[in-house]
């Protein structure tokens, strides 16, 4: 086990700043890889196939589930999301720290399979800040924003089931806190 990489699982409501903080974290440390998920959601402007997500059809996603290609998967506000298993296992074997940005049901599945995973709930300072960030991002329709805010209230109740809670008041500070959490895990 000694040379295996660490698995960092980050959850938090949509708009909490997970993508922002993860990219700051990856700029701070070495040997960290972001696990690129598969999703049936449409790409947002600026998102790149293979960098942000693998954008797939529902049929293709269901095929991946059937073939056992996903470490975990879940439905989130009308779309499917899942973590390709093989790259995660390979990077951990090579001693690389792997970062998953996944929602709460997926995080629970990963913890059950790999209890050594470090789970972190990235929380906004409060729900009104969350709403402001989600609207400020300007990537979702009003209906989707409402769905994500409703889901956020339920997700926030699960924060206490994670190993750590990090408040994203400032993305650089939150990234440094995540690095400290990683560094103190043997
Ligand atoms: P998530 O990946 O959790 O859905 P994003 O990283 O896309 O969230 O962040 C949502 C929006 O909030 C983005 O527009 C981002 O620039 C902004 N943001 C992220 N962190 C902060 C912060 N600490 N304070 C203010 N705005 C932030
Ligand atoms: P978004 O559509 O904003 O990119 O992501 C919506 C939600 O899906 C976020 O909570 C994000 O963490 C989660 N998510 C992204 N990829 C995966 C995945 O592979 N598995 C699971 N379970 N959730 C994911």
């Amino acid at each position: 086990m000694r040379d295996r990489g660490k698995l960092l699982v980050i959850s938090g409501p949509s708009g909490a700043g997970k993508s922002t903080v993860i990219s700051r974290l990856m700029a701070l440390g070495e040997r960290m890889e972001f696990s690129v998920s598969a999703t049936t959601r449409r790409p947002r402007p600026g998102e790149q196939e293979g960098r942000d997500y693998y954008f797939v059809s529902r049929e293709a996603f269901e095929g991946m589930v059937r073939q056992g290609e996903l470490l975990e998967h879940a439905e989130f506000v009308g779309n499917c999301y899942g973590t390709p298993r093989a790259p995660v296992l390979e990077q951990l074997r090579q001693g690389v720290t792997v970062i998953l940005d996944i929602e709460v049901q997926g995080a629970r599945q990963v913890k059950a399979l790999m209890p050594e995973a470090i789970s972190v709930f990235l929380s906004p300072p409060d729900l009104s800040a969350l709403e402001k960030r989600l609207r400020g991002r300007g990537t979702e329709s009003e209906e989707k924003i409402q769905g994500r805010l409703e889901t956020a209230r339920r997700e926030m109740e699960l924060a206490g089931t994670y190993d750590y809670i990090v408040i994203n008041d400032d993305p650089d500070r939150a990234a440094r806190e995540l690095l400290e959490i990683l560094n103190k895990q043997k």
Side-chain angles (χ1 to χ4, degrees), residues 12-21 44 101 122 125 132-134 136-138 148 168-172:
S14 178
K18 299 180 296 299
S19 305
T20 308
V21 173
R44 293 178 183 138
D101 168 351
L122 189 73
K132 217 178 274 169
R133 286 178 197 177
L134 207 46
R137 191 171 66 191
R148 283 170 182 248
N168 177 21
D169 45 4
D170 171 87
D172 290 314

Side-chain angles (χ1 to χ4, degrees), residues 70-98:
L70 300 178
L71 183 63
E72 60 72 39
H73 63 97
E75 193 153 335
F76 182 86
V77 198
N79 286 300
C80 301
Y81 296 82
T83 303
R85 180 195 307 272
V88 171
L89 298 186
E90 179 53 23
Q91 283 157 359
L92 290 176
R93 202 185 60 74
Q94 290 180 15
V96 173
T97 293
V98 180

Side-chain angles (χ1 to χ4, degrees), residues 120-132:
V120 176
F121 191 88
L122 189 73
S123 175
D126 53 54
L127 282 171
S128 72
L130 181 71
E131 186 163 356
K132 217 178 274 169

Side-chain angles (χ1 to χ4, degrees), residues 16-79:
K18 299 180 296 299
S19 305
T20 308
V21 173
I22 289 170
S23 60
R24 307 278 170 107
L25 170 67
M26 289 180 68
L28 290 178
E30 281 170 34
R31 304 207 84 198
M32 283 190 252
E33 286 283 343
F34 177 67
S35 158
V36 180
S37 297
T39 183
T40 60
R41 159 166 91 55
R42 297 266 188 85
R44 293 178 183 138
E47 282 186 332
Q48 267 177 37
E49 167 71 19
R51 185 194 67 184
D52 300 290
Y53 279 109
Y54 298 107
F55 296 99
V56 300
S57 66
R58 198 166 267 261
E59 293 69 43
F61 191 93
E62 283 164 5
M64 293 170 94
V65 173
R66 270 197 310 275
Q67 299 296 316
E69 292 172 20
L70 300 178
L71 183 63
E72 60 72 39
H73 63 97
E75 193 153 335
F76 182 86
V77 198
N79 286 300

